[in-house]
Amino acid sequence: MTLSEFFEQAVGLGDDTSSETPSWPIDNEQMIEYLEQYFRSQQRGSAAETTLQSKRSRLGQFLRHYEALHGTSAIVARITDVADQPEEIQRVTAVFDILDDELESNDSKRRYRSDIDDLYSWLVDRGYGAFNPVRYDHEWDVAKRDNPALAPAQVGNLAAVTENIEEQLIVLGLCAWGLRRSELATLHVENVELQTESPYLSFDTRKNGPGTVALIYGQDVLSDRIAQLSERQGWDGYLFPSSDARREYVTGETLNRRLKSIATRADVRVRGELPTSKMGRRFWYSAYADAVEMVIERLQSVAQEQGSSDPMVVFRNYLSEEKRREYLRDAMYDRLAEAFEDAANQ
């Protein structure tokens, strides 16, 4: 099985968006009822469905570890008497010890702890428990964030060795549009709007809710890919259709492997390792930050003429939203063109 198939079929924590409620990896009906109450309360907020699915996955893994260590998943019964607090703190901390070894990044560890902490806080707030046993003993917050990104020249080298439109689209989607690999894998022709002055991608559901992504660079490749697939008999609109008859589109893990294959041909390494899809997305954020800085620098002289030492005052207060967007798009295009064209020609 692929990883997504395993979570969907064996654990019940996949990306299935059907009306059926995902199952929990425990056999305790009372605890499952607490969990479903908790998620019903979460759904009343503004969290996107994908965010809730990720939270289910993390809480499910916590409960599996808890049950394996302590013989039960009935965590509510363990927090009803404050006299049990010292022992329960130790039990939950023991699960965090496992997560500390199992998870690779502090970001992931913090997300697990935050979700577990939130669940326990909700149980106490609803009167189901007397105390929250989560403690911040692990130093996951003090370590420096270490999120390496692809450099502009590396992005250009990746683009230079692509062998077909599909590979070009992978590099563009991750590095020029800043998509998550799951968003790129599920990209559908209905998400694409090219017949407008400012082309964009639209998504009904992203990690933080609905949104759009500006197509500042590489629209021609996207148009060519759509034209290429339109000639296929029975094409259903996905830009990365799967060769597996059981799936309509490839998985994010598949795109990540293809990016590494491209990086191998280009001899691109980040700190000695083949780059991941996240490093492409981080390049996009870095390029966008540079574009903002370029716009602010260009407004410096305007600010001085107006007697202001802060060009951000001009940017925020004296430019229309349309003009701000135009300046940022132009600056971002320059940054992307520099990476995809100039670096590749070196």
Side-chain angles (χ1 to χ4, degrees), residues 150 153-155 157-158 263-270 273-275:
L150 284 164
Q154 292 176 317
V155 171
N157 291 336
L158 292 175
T264 299
R265 295 201 304 270
D267 194 24
V268 168
R269 299 289 189 278
V270 178
E273 302 291 335
L274 289 172

Side-chain angles (χ1 to χ4, degrees), residues 62 66 69-72 74-97 120 131-135 137:
F62 166 74
Y66 189 101
L69 280 176
H70 310 305
T72 181
I75 61 173
V76 176
R78 297 280 182 86
I79 61 172
T80 55
D81 189 341
V82 292
D84 298 329
Q85 186 167 355
E87 290 80 8
E88 187 59 15
I89 290 173
Q90 292 301 315
R91 283 190 283 263
V92 171
T93 300
V95 178
F96 283 173
D97 288 341
Y120 275 112
F131 63 90
N132 182 345
V134 174
R135 293 297 182 271
D137 294 345

Side-chain angles (χ1 to χ4, degrees), residues 124-141:
V124 173
D125 183 63
R126 293 298 193 277
Y128 297 129
F131 63 90
N132 182 345
V134 174
R135 293 297 182 271
Y136 284 54
D137 294 345
H138 295 80
E139 296 183 348
W140 297 337
D141 297 298

